[in-house]
Amino acid sequence: MTQLVTSPEIGREIVAAGYRTNLHDQGEGAPVLLIHGSGPGVTAWANWRGIIPLLAQHRRVIAPDMLGFGYSERPADAQYSQQRWVEHAIGVLDALGIAQADIVGNSFGGGLALALAIRHPERVRRLVLMGSVGVSFPITAGLDTAWGYTPSLANMRELLDLFAYDRNLVNDELAELRYQASIRPGFQESFAAMFPAPRQKGVDDLASDEADIRALPHEALVIHGREDRIIPLEASLTLAQWLPRSQLHVFGQCGHWTQIEHAGRFARLVEDFLAEADAAAAAQQHNRA
């Protein structure tokens, strides 16, 4: 119990879409929802810990553990789908009384952010998709390894080597921490249920239809690491081509962890992009006044 109370991964608990949900809620201003990736042992804090305090200087940052991940509830039927995760994300916004938010999605979370914008366009102001799924592509060996993870310290170290371009970010301490996270009670069982073999189906199930993506009216920022071995750069190139109001930023010497390997640059890029919308909203309000 002491570990749960003192862990920085524990934020506060709400009920979202009927499920107990752990989330971090920091800062004031225009709300931004951060949706994490799908690596084994991942939590919102593990994914976004370096970004939350930077963005929270100017806006309200909400980072939940998505359904089945981290310290949020695991559904008894162990059934997971794009639709169910999107409903959970909407449930988070509803529980917090947020009518519209900017959405930042990482990898798996990018696919959910895209699907959320398609199904509930009025709930999204701007989109940021980082190393994102959301279009179909032949599954990479790296993603197959990540989704097929079985708990061992050696497997976790191998996986972290795939995620990061800068190997200095991957050390025995980090591997131990992520390994211990992956073997907490219930974590591996729910993770294994999410992306069973053949895992190409997981990529395809998280993809949205091209016509729906092309019809999105939102401003979108697409970000990718050039050396990403988990999600291919081509996925973001496709998203940037299909999203009519998009811009693309590619970080060189960067793997799948843009928000960690280039945390300051990433945060400034996202903040500038979202601040444009703040300024436009302020101008509209001034004109109405």
Side-chain angles (χ1 to χ4, degrees), residues 131-148:
S132 181
V133 298
V135 297
S136 187
F137 56 84
I139 191 169
T140 62
L143 182 56
D144 199 43
T145 298
W147 281 352

Side-chain angles (χ1 to χ4, degrees), residues 82-195:
Q82 182 200 79
Q83 180 175 349
R84 199 170 199 179
W85 279 311
V86 167
E87 289 172 353
H88 182 234
I90 289 293
V92 169
L93 296 179
D94 288 345
L96 298 177
I98 296 172
Q100 188 181 69
D102 298 311
I103 315 290
V104 180
N106 169 28
S107 192
F108 153 88
L112 299 186
L114 191 65
L116 190 157
I118 290 168
R119 297 181 186 200
H120 304 276
E122 75 287 352
R123 305 301 296 270
V124 179
R125 189 175 71 159
R126 285 194 168 193
L127 272 176
V128 179
L129 307 175
M130 184 191 77
S132 181
V133 298
V135 297
S136 187
F137 56 84
I139 191 169
T140 62
L143 182 56
D144 199 43
T145 298
W147 281 352
Y149 168 84
T150 55
S152 78
L153 187 57
N155 286 348
M156 182 58 75
R157 182 58 192 253
E158 176 189 0
L159 187 57
L160 295 183
D161 279 334
L162 289 173
F163 273 75
Y165 172 82
D166 182 358
R167 297 301 190 276
N168 292 322
L169 292 172
V170 179
N171 53 40
D172 291 339
E173 181 182 5
L174 177 60
E176 178 69 25
L177 287 172
R178 290 298 296 265
Y179 165 65
Q180 291 297 332
S182 75
I183 60 172
R184 291 176 186 139
F187 276 41
Q188 179 60 22
E189 290 81 359
S190 60
F191 184 71
M194 293 175 185
F195 308 107

Side-chain angles (χ1 to χ4, degrees), residues 3-288:
Q3 180 184 2
L4 293 181
V5 171
T6 59
S7 171
E9 294 179 304
I10 304 295
R12 68 184 179 98
E13 186 177 286
I14 64 169
V15 176
Y19 296 100
R20 288 180 291 102
T21 300
N22 176 57
L23 61 76
H24 302 268
D25 188 349
Q26 296 185 19
E28 297 180 353
V32 54
L33 177 68
L34 308 182
I35 306 180
H36 60 71
S38 60
V42 73
T43 63
W45 184 252
N47 205 149
W48 300 113
R49 65 191 181 278
I51 298 301
I52 290 172
L54 298 178
L55 292 180
Q57 294 175 24
H58 303 286
R59 55 195 70 252
R60 182 182 181 185
V61 181
I62 299 136
D65 289 351
M66 295 303 293
L67 189 67
F69 287 93
Y71 294 92
S72 289
E73 189 172 348
R74 289 155 174 74
D77 61 7
Q79 298 296 309
Y80 299 95
S81 66
Q82 182 200 79
Q83 180 175 349
R84 199 170 199 179
W85 279 311
V86 167
E87 289 172 353
H88 182 234
I90 289 293
V92 169
L93 296 179
D94 288 345
L96 298 177
I98 296 172
Q100 188 181 69
D102 298 311
I103 315 290
V104 180
N106 169 28
S107 192
F108 153 88
L112 299 186
L114 191 65
L116 190 157
I118 290 168
R119 297 181 186 200
H120 304 276
E122 75 287 352
R123 305 301 296 270
V124 179
R125 189 175 71 159
R126 285 194 168 193
L127 272 176
V128 179
L129 307 175
M130 184 191 77
S132 181
V133 298
V135 297
S136 187
F137 56 84
I139 191 169
T140 62
L143 182 56
D144 199 43
T145 298
W147 281 352
Y149 168 84
T150 55
S152 78
L153 187 57
N155 286 348
M156 182 58 75
R157 182 58 192 253
E158 176 189 0
L159 187 57
L160 295 183
D161 279 334
L162 289 173
F163 273 75
Y165 172 82
D166 182 358
R167 297 301 190 276
N168 292 322
L169 292 172
V170 179
N171 53 40
D172 291 339
E173 181 182 5
L174 177 60
E176 178 69 25
L177 287 172
R178 290 298 296 265
Y179 165 65
Q180 291 297 332
S182 75
I183 60 172
R184 291 176 186 139
F187 276 41
Q188 179 60 22
E189 290 81 359
S190 60
F191 184 71
M194 293 175 185
F195 308 107
R199 295 184 185 89
Q200 179 66 46
K201 184 176 186 299
V203 175
D204 298 338
D205 287 348
L206 288 169
S208 294
D209 290 339
E210 177 180 350
D212 291 335
I213 296 172
R214 289 185 180 276
L216 281 174
H218 308 84
E219 293 272 2
L221 173 61
V222 182
I223 300 171
H224 215 103
R226 187 181 62 201
E227 285 78 28
D228 192 336
R229 293 195 284 171
I230 306 297
I231 307 298
L233 175 59
E234 287 73 19
S236 282
L237 296 177
T238 298
L239 285 169
Q241 289 174 339
W242 290 359
L243 287 161
R245 302 180 68 193
S246 67
Q247 52 186 285
L248 172 67
H249 191 101
V250 179
F251 284 89
Q253 296 187 326
C254 181
H256 193 55
W257 279 349
T258 307
Q259 85 282 18
I260 295 174
E261 296 188 75
H262 295 271
R265 289 174 172 175
F266 174 83
R268 288 191 297 272
L269 184 66
V270 172
E271 175 57 37
D272 286 350
F273 177 68
L274 300 184
E276 290 178 357
D278 297 341
Q284 286 181 350
Q285 186 174 9
H286 176 76
N287 291 336
R288 285 196 297 266

